[in-house]
Structures are given as C-alpha cells and as structure tokens.
Amino acid sequence: DAGVTQSPTHLIKTRGQQVTLRCSPKSGHDTVSWYQQALGQGPQFIFQYYEEEERQRGNFPDRFSGHQFPNYSSELNVNALLLGDSALYLCASSRPSGDLSFTDTQYFGPGTRLTVL
Amino acid sequence: KNQVEQSPQSLIILEGKNCTLQCNYTVSPFSNLRWYKQDTGRGPVSLTIMTFSENTKSNGRYTATLDADTKQSSLHITASQLSDSASYICVVLNTNAGKSTFGDGTTLTVKP
C-alpha cells in the first residue's frame, strides 16, 4: 500500500519563474492538503482539495493555485516565484469526513524542497 | 487569533533519559489536537490524536496529555533513543473553520 508520494524531491528555480509540484495521495484517500514549511517553522496551510474542488484556503496569494484530478492526485502551481517561496512543500492526504472535524489523521508525503534563486 | 505555541524551541538530552514537550494553544472552538514527529527533510508522521474528552493517550514510549480547560498539551517521551531526534509538532484543529494550526515545533536532539 503506497503512502503519499510527491515529485520532484528537489527543485531549483529563479525569481519570476513558475513551478508545478505533484502529489499522489495514500490509497483510499481522496482529500489532499498542501502546506508550505519554511526552515525552522511549522507547516503553513495553503489549501485543501476534495472532489476536485478547493474546499479550504489559507492566507496565501493567488500566485498559489492548485488542481485535483479524478484519480485524486493533485498539483500545486506557484507563479511569479519570489525568494521567499523557498521552502519545503508538503502534501497530506486523508479520508473524507462527514463534517469539518477532520478527525481522520492526515498522512504526509516526504515533501518537495523548492529553492528560488 | 488562533495560535499554537510550543516550548522549548529546542532540547538536548542523553540517550535513555525522559523528556516532556509542551504545547499551549488559543484555538477555539477546539476539535482535536495532534502530535507529529518530523525527521529532518521528511514529512511529519502522526504520533497521537486527542479529542476534547481525552486526557491521556499513549503510543509506545510516547504519551500525550491534554487539559482542554487550560488549553495545554504535553508529549512525554520515555527512555529516549537516538532515533527520537527530530522535530515534534503540535497541531490543533479549529472546529468552525475546519483548519489546522501548526506550532513551530520543538527540535529534540538525543545524544549517546
């Protein structure tokens, strides 16, 4: 049973470029959340996708966008990269909940380390 | 503003010793609190999840406590091992917003 997978593992971009990160959820999960984790800090919630729709969003600008495919995999796109976008980007998957309690544990992928020069 | 504060920021202990990590939160209304272990360069892995009615939950050498009245949680690690060296992150879920607030973590280093 594969866990959450992310690609690529590392990525180097320059300011102003665009980047796409990919995530495949754990088998049986259909909810995917994306997080940005700067060095020495906890993950910051970007957004969550369920049934191919963005269900929740954190305090991130519109440069950050996403997509969820029918097979539940997801992409995170970041446009007009800034130096401050350098971070570990984590994807987490979970089973759907009947309400917003999200009591099911989120399973995290290994992350994509993005460096913006 | 919903916040999660963890202490200490970092901790160094000798192998075999016990330690306790703290998490104070202001998130309200509260749904659940989770502790994650994050090895360097890896994604977080869940250790425990506690709801409002639970006071203590154990997972092997890890024991989490929760006091919902004072909005405090602790993670106690018994008989530490070198492999316990990691960042431990406290996460609190806000029921209304359906959003999780992450602490910045406590970096634990276990030395031989």
Side-chain angles (χ1 to χ4, degrees), chain A residues 35 37 42 56-57 101-103, chain B residues 34 38 93 97-99 104:
Chain A
Y35 296 85
Q37 186 176 26
Q56 292 279 352
R57 189 178 183 94
S101 297
F102 301 128
T103 54
Chain B
R34 312 170 193 190
Q38 185 175 23
L93 177 67
K99 293 180 181 178
D104 285 338

Side-chain angles (χ1 to χ4, degrees), chain A residues 11-18 80-87 113-117:
Chain A
L11 202 53
I12 298 176
K13 292 285 189 178
T14 57
R15 281 180 298 174
Q17 285 189 311
Q18 178 265 344
L81 284 168
L82 303 174
L83 295 179
D85 295 331
S86 295
R113 172 69 62 185
L114 173 65
T115 302
V116 182
L117 302 177

Side-chain angles (χ1 to χ4, degrees), chain A residues 71-114:
Chain A
N71 67 353
Y72 310 127
S73 65
S74 177
E75 288 182 349
L76 165 65
N77 300 294
V78 186
N79 295 322
L81 284 168
L82 303 174
L83 295 179
D85 295 331
S86 295
L88 179 68
Y89 287 84
L90 295 165
C91 168
S93 74
S94 57
R95 296 179 297 171
S97 296
D99 53 34
L100 289 178
S101 297
F102 301 128
T103 54
D104 284 335
T105 298
Q106 286 186 318
Y107 290 80
F108 284 85
T112 293
R113 172 69 62 185
L114 173 65

Side-chain angles (χ1 to χ4, degrees), chain B residues 48-88:
Chain B
T48 64
I49 178 170
M50 303 179 71
T51 58
F52 184 88
S53 59
E54 296 176 299
N55 299 120
T56 303
K57 181 167 281 188
S58 292
N59 178 3
R61 295 179 296 102
Y62 301 102
T63 299
T65 65
L66 174 65
D67 185 333
D69 291 331
T70 62
K71 298 186 177 181
Q72 295 179 327
S73 176
S74 66
L75 180 69
H76 186 73
I77 304 174
T78 304
S80 61
Q81 301 176 357
L82 298 179
S83 59
D84 292 332
S85 295
S87 178
Y88 292 83

